Amino acid sequence: MAKELKDVTKAEDNYSQWYNDLVVKAGLAENSAVRGCMVIKPYGYAIWEKMQAALDKMFKDTGHQNAYFPLFIPKSFFSKEADHVEGFAKECAVVTHYRLKNDPEGKGVVVDPDAKLEEELIVRPTSETIIWNTYKGWIQSYRDLPILCNQWANVVRWEMRTRLFLRTAEFLWQEGHTAHATKEEAIEEATRMIHVYQKFVEEWMGVPVIVGHKSPNERFAGAVDTLTIEALMQDGKALQSGTSHFLGQNFAKAFDVQYINKEGKLEYVWATSWGVSTRLMGALIMAHSDNNGLVLPPKLAPIQVVLIPIYKGEEQMRQIVERLRTIAEELKSKGLSVKIDDRDNVRSGFKFAEYELKGVPVRLALGPRDLENGTIELVRRDTLEKETVPQEGLTDRVAALMDEIQQNIFRKALDYRNSMITKVDTWDEFVDVLENKGGFISAHWDGTVETEVAIKDATKATIRCIPMDAVEEEGKCVFSGKPSHRRVLFARSY
Amino acid sequence: MAKELKDVTKAEDNYSQWYNDLVVKAGLAENSAVRGCMVIKPYGYAIWEKMQAALDKMFKDTGHQNAYFPLFIPKSFFSKEADHVEGFAKECAVVTHYRLKNDPEGKGVVVDPDAKLEEELIVRPTSETIIWNTYKGWIQSYRDLPILCNQWANVVRWEMRTRLFLRTAEFLWQEGHTAHATKEEAIEEATRMIHVYQKFVEEWMGVPVIVGHKSPNERFAGAVDTLTIEALMQDGKALQSGTSHFLGQNFAKAFDVQYINKEGKLEYVWATSWGVSTRLMGALIMAHSDNNGLVLPPKLAPIQVVLIPIYKGEEQMRQIVERLRTIAEELKSKGLSVKIDDRDNVRSGFKFAEYELKGVPVRLALGPRDLENGTIELVRRDTLEKETVPQEGLTDRVAALMDEIQQNIFRKALDYRNSMITKVDTWDEFVDVLENKGGFISAHWDGTVETEVAIKDATKATIRCIPMDAVEEEGKCVFSGKPSHRRVLFARSY
């Protein structure tokens, strides 16, 4: 591992390779034998589980229930919503057969041509169509509304260029799908959920985000309005971290889902959908890590405290490990997740490097002198500050440190993010900031798709969002010079 | 719902239809637009979540970690283990293309013939092959062992005749996959996990099971030994509820997974796999329910106590609901999950029937007289016994009742199961018991596949298991008359 750590590319040399090295060498995920599909390894999955648990609780606290809908969607379902088919049904995994048979030439198995499906099935890229087809059977009257369902599932989008967590053919996510009697209620729900995402990403992941509306060109295929949370990575690129869509009556109309309102009249149902995915793992890694490895926020760290014995000889080891066990029990009793690494086949320096790579928030090392003095060495991962502290009061100190690290990580990311929002008013400035600084560019835009596309073609920068808290401000579009009433945020993005 | 309840088929009239009615009308699951794939509705999913949580904790307590492996498996992987391909690669969903395009004739979308995969992908029916292909990269030395991974996932097996929960094309499950340095350790692991399943099914689901070995003919495709837990449903048919496989070195050899042992020599790794699925939902329903609906064990009931106000007029309602709220808060403070149903558009009789259908363990109803007398009506779902009890001490009474109901459900199922194990020593008896009584038949078997198959062909009964605690007993095979040394259990099964 010490050797492996040396092999981690430095972020300043090659950010993209640095990211990939961290994911693989910290044991979070790896590529599989199936193109574009990843294996999420136990350490990575443990983080994802903590994310799931926190999000799931937030969903339930806001009145949602989990359910499960089929993996497969009949091909024809996609054609029912015109925008949706353009956005999702193109690059996808298509099931055409339901049987293999022995190869007549004797080599393994081949597809049985007699087992062709009448209608092809698409492996879900997102589930609006199959869910709205189901909701049709659940909704008759206003008393059946709202329906507030969430699903934890795998989805598949056939990406040509994939990157671990950030863009994979198969990924894990949750998708909320809600049905409402009124437009206002649906908009309120979509807004509530983007703020749930904001709260989660900021308070649990320690990643600050900007909440806003997508421009029409960046909207979800089939949505009337898409809300987004946008985070900034340490290379100055933005990462869309979660979206919540107000779908209007588009899917209700496509699947003929109507309800009888209080006045006894038939109306189409209003819809939202919202999702976050294992992509958040990418955001978590890129927002905080450094050249020594991951920096995990304590709230999501599978191991919060690692304890390492420093010793010579078996008798010393016995005594020191015994003391560490007592300390570990105390820490556990405070609800901390703790690991003692008493492997005897690797040096302590190797272990230090390994847990730095894995981003464990606090490292405690106990040596013979500490044993004598009643002290212990404490190193926090976020600052790498080292101090020798008394064993007495250690548990309270470490518990308090968890909050402090959580806050410090967030504050650091927030300071960086805020320093990377640049107001520009001319095209030259726009290009200059984009090329030489990166980050978010706050600029006027004339509101047209043409300008948005022209800017993207010229610079690869897109409108990340029209911030929710954007204030009215008269100005001129940075590209076209046409009048504009508010600034939007541009950035290059993942 | 009262009307719907009347529509539930009686178990004695048509057991299979009774089962289906319960699943659908209690809101557990329904068929989807995709043949053989079900929608698990919120009430059903809430039970599954409780099962998952309990099992997941048991897996972690026994040292396992979760991970996630790809949904797709390259077709060629299946051919690497000869038995496995016969068992699993035949009836499966085959992905052959990765793109759709607009229909040149203008009708929706069609498969793009230019987007054919070089090698077809199979939607995983089980993950041994992709996981052992991955483990190859994780294992070099004995220090990398054991690997103790579990995955929560969806799998697909193209079943022709499907039934909600019991047999669906797509289902949810967990699959544990472990790698060990020695044969003994792998056998110990497979044994440990079948007992984890036994403990879960008996203590949480309240369903007694018999633990045993599968006969060679009923083994998992690719296993050296398959351990099983077998439950008995109220119609006298057995249901295989979980299996744990000792895989020997079969998959290690198929995927060339070797490790360097302590003596520095290369050896093949030993494997186990083990799984339970949403099929357990079927077992849960069929083991306890009656003609009034589900009977859920308190440990898995999404709602443990329902509170229903009985009133005339708004003022009474206000007072009664207020009192119910106070009671509900007290119950919640004891960790009970509680629902007040204060809908004013359905009668209380309708509500009673609805929560009986949904299997809620305890129902409390509060009327004007109760309000005056400080009493409340309590009905337990398992016995339908009704009593009026003081409000004072109610919380402790209900909490204690949860344990009592949990135990009573189990005891009832155990008594039934035990009454349905019949020792037989002649073929006439065998056929007679099978036709007229059902249940498990404990009989001598000569140990040959021929006899097993002949019995199955003649009676549809299979060997459910060779019980782990079977004692040596000399006898003659009930079918062939050849010598036998122990009894095995036969039954017709799901």
Side-chain angles (χ1 to χ4, degrees), chain A residues 188-438:
Chain A
E188 195 184 303
E189 165 79 3
T191 309
R192 178 184 304 118
M193 297 322 288
I194 202 69
H195 285 118
V196 163
Y197 289 155
Q198 175 187 24
K199 191 176 164 68
F200 170 74
V201 175
E202 295 192 336
E203 293 182 9
W204 288 78
M205 294 172 54
V207 177
V209 293
I210 291 168
V211 186
H213 300 264
K214 283 290 182 190
S215 56
N217 201 45
E218 298 281 328
R219 244 176 232 150
F220 176 79
V224 174
D225 186 19
T226 289
L227 295 166
T228 181
I229 47 171
E230 299 283 329
L232 197 68
M233 302 298 102
Q234 294 177 80
D235 62 346
K237 283 167 80 175
L239 192 142
Q240 177 183 305
S241 305
T243 49
S244 179
H245 316 292
F246 168 56
L247 302 170
Q249 295 174 311
N250 291 348
F251 287 91
K253 285 180 179 165
F255 290 89
D256 190 29
V257 186
Q258 299 187 68
Y259 75 101
I260 297 167
N261 68 17
K262 286 185 184 169
E263 288 75 43
K265 285 188 186 155
L266 268 181
E267 274 188 59
Y268 284 106
V269 175
W270 299 85
T272 83
S273 67
W274 29 274
V276 293
S277 73
T278 36
R279 192 164 214 236
L280 287 179
M281 292 287 294
L284 183 73
I285 297 158
M286 285 202 292
H288 305 308
S289 305
D290 60 27
N291 285 338
N292 293 313
L294 305 178
V295 176
L296 294 179
K299 283 188 181 179
L300 295 176
I303 306 165
Q304 294 175 309
V305 187
V306 64
L307 296 93
I308 296 170
I310 316 281
Y311 58 88
K312 276 188 190 130
E314 274 199 26
E315 175 52 25
Q316 235 179 43
M317 171 176 172
R318 204 192 48 71
Q319 286 179 13
I320 287 175
V321 169
E322 193 177 304
R323 183 81 199 104
L324 285 181
R325 290 225 173 91
T326 311
I327 293 171
E329 283 312 313
E330 275 182 48
L331 292 167
K332 277 187 206 167
S333 73
K334 277 269 177 180
L336 293 163
S337 85
V338 168
K339 177 179 174 172
I340 300 176
D341 185 346
D342 59 357
R343 281 178 297 171
D344 60 1
N345 64 318
V346 291
R347 295 163 156 293
S348 48
F350 177 98
K351 293 179 186 174
F352 292 172
E354 177 171 349
Y355 295 106
E356 278 174 20
L357 176 59
K358 284 181 168 285
V360 174
V362 166
R363 178 178 88 218
L364 299 172
L366 188 77
R369 189 165 299 173
D370 292 314
L371 200 61
E372 223 166 82
N373 299 345
T375 55
I376 195 163
E377 186 186 271
L378 184 156
V379 179
R380 49 190 278 190
R381 176 63 185 90
D382 59 335
T383 59
L384 291 177
E385 279 165 12
K386 185 186 293 191
E387 51 178 339
T388 297
V389 302
Q391 290 173 27
E392 205 185 315
L394 181 69
T395 299
D396 286 341
R397 181 188 285 261
V398 171
L401 200 49
M402 290 295 138
D403 290 338
E404 198 182 318
I405 294 173
Q406 185 82 30
Q407 284 167 34
N408 181 54
I409 288 175
F410 176 71
R411 208 178 311 115
K412 199 176 152 198
L414 184 63
D415 288 346
Y416 169 73
R417 197 279 309 275
N418 287 345
S419 76
M420 293 293 279
I421 304 177
T422 313
K423 275 195 188 180
V424 313
D425 290 309
T426 69
W427 182 245
D428 284 351
E429 275 180 285
F430 187 101
V431 174
D432 179 57
V433 170
L434 203 60
E435 291 302 330
N436 299 311
K437 183 179 177 190

Side-chain angles (χ1 to χ4, degrees), chain A residues 40 49 66 68 96 98 170, chain B residues 40 49 66 68 92 96 170:
Chain A
I40 306 180
E49 279 183 310
N66 288 328
Y68 189 77
T96 56
Y98 59 85
E170 181 192 18
Chain B
I40 305 179
E49 281 184 308
N66 288 328
Y68 188 77
C92 58
T96 57
E170 181 192 18

